[in-house]
Amino acid sequence: QVQLVESGGGSVQAGGSLRLSCAASGYTYRSYCMGWFRETPVKEREGVAAIESDGSTRYADAVKGRFTISKDNAKNTLYLQMNNLKPEDTAMYYCAADPDGSWYDPDTFEHWGQGTQVTVSS
């Protein structure tokens, strides 16, 4: 059974940093596309960043240059380092995994974590 558990969310002021973690278990970690998505009450879930099974990375235009996705294969953990945070980054962030996921489309991901809240104040 695939399990994804996020942590690391919180409240910061604009310009600050946070690092999200996603501990994964129950599947062949390295063969899956893993990604971070975010959602707000007024905006549907959107792709933020992803690591494909071949190790290539993808970023939404809104976070390029500020966010970095990485994974530690030894720990089966996915990370999202978020720097220079902006109020518009405020959202619930979700970790997702799927062998055939398309990083920008949440409908292509089968497995999801419970989410972690990120709040950025101005």
Side-chain angles (χ1 to χ4, degrees):
Q1 182 176 357
V2 177
Q3 282 194 314
L4 302 172
V5 180
E6 301 102 331
S7 61
S11 297
V12 296
Q13 290 189 325
S17 298
L18 285 172
R19 187 176 80 157
L20 306 183
S21 300
C22 173
S25 62
Y27 65 101
T28 307
Y29 173 78
R30 298 186 188 193
S31 66
Y32 276 50
C33 175
M34 296 193 72
W36 290 98
F37 292 80
R38 64 187 182 187
E39 182 179 294
T40 72
V42 296
K43 194 171 184 180
E44 63 184 14
R45 196 168 297 190
E46 62 177 1
V48 174
I51 291 184
E52 307 278 11
S53 57
D54 64 0
S56 58
T57 57
R58 304 281 185 262
Y59 295 95
D61 288 343
V63 307
K64 281 181 182 176
R66 300 187 298 121
F67 291 10
T68 302
I69 191 170
S70 62
K71 63 179 181 177
D72 185 331
N73 291 329
K75 295 181 179 180
N76 283 2
T77 301
L78 180 73
Y79 301 100
L80 185 67
Q81 178 66 45
M82 305 185 294
N83 298 328
N84 190 21
L85 282 160
K86 302 177 180 181
E88 51 264 42
D89 295 317
T90 295
M92 183 71 79
Y93 284 72
Y94 296 90
C95 171
D98 195 278
D100 299 309
S102 296
W103 75 273
Y104 53 87
D105 187 355
D107 290 339
T108 63
F109 283 78
E110 180 178 358
H111 307 291
W112 292 87
Q114 81 287 354
T116 186
Q117 178 67 37
V118 171
T119 302
V120 185
S121 58
S122 57

